[in-house]
Amino acid sequence: MRLLVTGAAGFIGSTYVRGLLAPGGAERGAADWGPDVSQVTVLDKLTYAGSLSNLETADPRLTFVHGDICDAELVDTLMKQAGQVVHFAAESHVDRSIDGADAFVRTNIEGTHTLLQAALRHGVERFVHVSTDEVYGSVETGSSPETALLDPNSPYAASKAASDLIALAYHRTHGLDVRVTRCSNNYGPHQFPEKIIPLFITNLLDGEDVPLYGDGLNVRDWLHVEDHCRGVELVRTKGCPGEIYNIGGGTALTNRELTGLLLEACGADWGRVRYVADRKGHDRRYAVRDDKARDGLGYRPRHDFAAGLAETVAWYRDNRAWWEPLKRSAQPTHR
């Protein structure tokens, strides 16, 4: 089966492709990677957050295509050859969406619609749409199940919520096999240094201060990127058409607690923390209930957060050649 993966030169998509093509990937158990993929085509625009270095491999099963998911002609050509689609491509940084939402509306909404139209036209067997817990908005208490009302607050989250609804509409209206995943905050190697964990790590390694929003008490649930990708693969191989699956990490921390862990891991103290004005519309707390993926698909996060964070810090310490050019070419902030 030929798999089309969008946005796979980025952080999460590249992790998914590397896992899919890793030696023995199909033999690592039912909770890992499916055995049905013979060819993987990656479509990526190579925006600031995408890098071909994330996909360095000589695997003959992998084909890379440089292009835009909004390019209907290109998408149509690739979709003719695809058996299934896993759609990661998105503009994803909240701060950038606040500064200018145009690219988020175009890529996340129009791009998703372009892919869905082509998938329907060419009878694609399955379409996995990767989304975010941010579509549920801020959750004061408890956790959001897949049936929770959508209440996005940032332009980014609103664009993802819109793309979710469009994708699900193609299932309900046209019968296209669409499956939606909504994950909590990801961390791990190869993440562009604008989100809080890689930004803080790289700043601290460079002897710079780190900017902490507001009072630092905003809560996020942390999920290792490899666990997220295993969850996506479970949804692709074992999920049901028209269903939504939350994928959580099970480690809820305030940003202040997370900052303390990062300071300790990098050998720094609180003197390196610079409190900055809070972000506009900053959601106070995210939390998802992922019983559906756990009970129905056998999903379980495998990375202990303390060990995963230590490994992530070590990766950035050992891979300056990867992230230093990225920091020079952009002005990262954090989520």
Side-chain angles (χ1 to χ4, degrees):
M1 187 273 297
R2 293 177 176 268
L3 185 66
L4 174 63
V5 185
T6 70
F11 168 48
I12 302 174
S14 67
T15 304
Y16 175 79
V17 169
R18 290 195 305 272
L20 196 66
L21 299 179
E27 287 76 44
R28 292 203 299 269
D32 280 319
W33 310 101
D36 58 332
V37 177
S38 58
Q39 293 288 325
V40 177
T41 298
V42 168
L43 172 61
D44 198 292
K45 191 178 178 181
L46 294 181
T47 61
Y48 74 94
S51 173
L52 278 177
S53 66
N54 292 337
L55 288 171
E56 287 182 350
T57 176
D59 196 309
R61 293 172 292 172
L62 178 63
T63 300
F64 177 79
V65 177
H66 183 197
D68 190 341
I69 60 171
C70 293
D71 183 339
E73 184 176 350
L74 174 60
V75 166
D76 192 75
T77 297
L78 296 177
M79 205 67 73
K80 289 177 184 177
Q81 307 164 14
Q84 298 180 13
V85 177
V86 180
H87 174 35
F88 290 99
E91 295 285 348
S92 67
H93 188 42
V94 174
D95 289 38
R96 291 178 185 266
S97 80
I98 293 170
D99 292 338
D102 290 2
F104 291 76
V105 171
R106 182 178 184 275
T107 297
N108 299 353
I109 301 175
E110 295 179 19
T112 298
H113 183 232
T114 299
L115 291 166
L116 288 163
Q117 283 184 305
L120 181 65
R121 186 160 51 247
H122 295 291
V124 164
E125 176 189 355
R126 199 167 299 163
F127 190 107
V128 180
H129 174 65
V130 179
S131 190
T132 171
D133 61 356
E134 297 191 37
V135 300
Y136 298 120
S138 195
V139 182
E140 185 174 343
T141 60
S143 55
S144 300
E146 291 83 355
T147 54
L149 293 177
L150 303 188
D151 190 21
N153 291 309
S154 70
Y156 159 63
S159 70
K160 289 300 291 184
S163 67
D164 289 10
L165 294 176
I166 291 170
L168 291 168
Y170 267 74
H171 168 71
R172 292 164 186 158
T173 303
H174 301 293
L176 184 65
D177 182 342
V178 170
R179 307 166 188 201
V180 174
T181 65
R182 292 174 179 158
C183 69
S184 55
N185 276 38
N186 280 217
Y187 75 98
H190 293 272
Q191 188 172 24
F192 186 85
E194 67 181 352
K195 304 293 179 73
I196 185 170
I197 287 182
L199 174 64
F200 279 28
I201 291 171
T202 55
N203 277 15
L204 292 169
L205 292 177
D206 275 346
E208 299 176 0
D209 290 346
V210 294
L212 184 59
Y213 277 140
D215 60 10
L217 298 182
N218 302 76
V219 177
R220 299 293 183 263
D221 173 42
W222 290 98
L223 169 66
H224 194 283
V225 64
E226 291 178 1
D227 289 327
H228 177 202
C229 290
R230 288 191 185 96
V232 169
E233 183 66 353
L234 280 169
V235 171
R236 185 186 73 83
T237 57
K238 296 185 174 183
C240 294
E243 294 295 323
I244 302 164
Y245 296 89
N246 289 337
I247 302 175
T251 300
L253 296 169
T254 66
N255 286 346
R256 182 177 171 81
E257 289 171 328
L258 175 63
T259 299
L261 294 174
L262 292 169
L263 292 170
E264 182 180 1
C266 295
D269 60 35
W270 281 92
R272 299 280 293 281
V273 177
R274 174 171 46 89
Y275 285 89
V276 298
D278 207 358
R279 183 170 67 201
K280 293 179 180 179
H282 199 175
D283 288 334
R284 193 64 166 173
R285 177 177 176 268
Y286 297 141
V288 293
R289 190 187 310 163
D290 60 7
D291 309 54
K292 186 174 177 179
R294 289 175 182 260
D295 297 341
L297 306 180
Y299 165 73
R300 296 290 186 280
R302 296 183 176 182
H303 286 77
D304 170 77
F305 182 75
L309 190 65
E311 291 168 0
T312 300
V313 171
W315 188 88
Y316 282 94
R317 182 179 288 118
D318 295 339
N319 288 274
R320 280 183 169 272
W322 183 86
W323 59 264
E324 283 182 336
L326 298 179
K327 290 197 77 167
R328 286 196 296 268
S329 66
Q331 296 296 323
T333 50
H334 76 279
R335 166 169 114 165

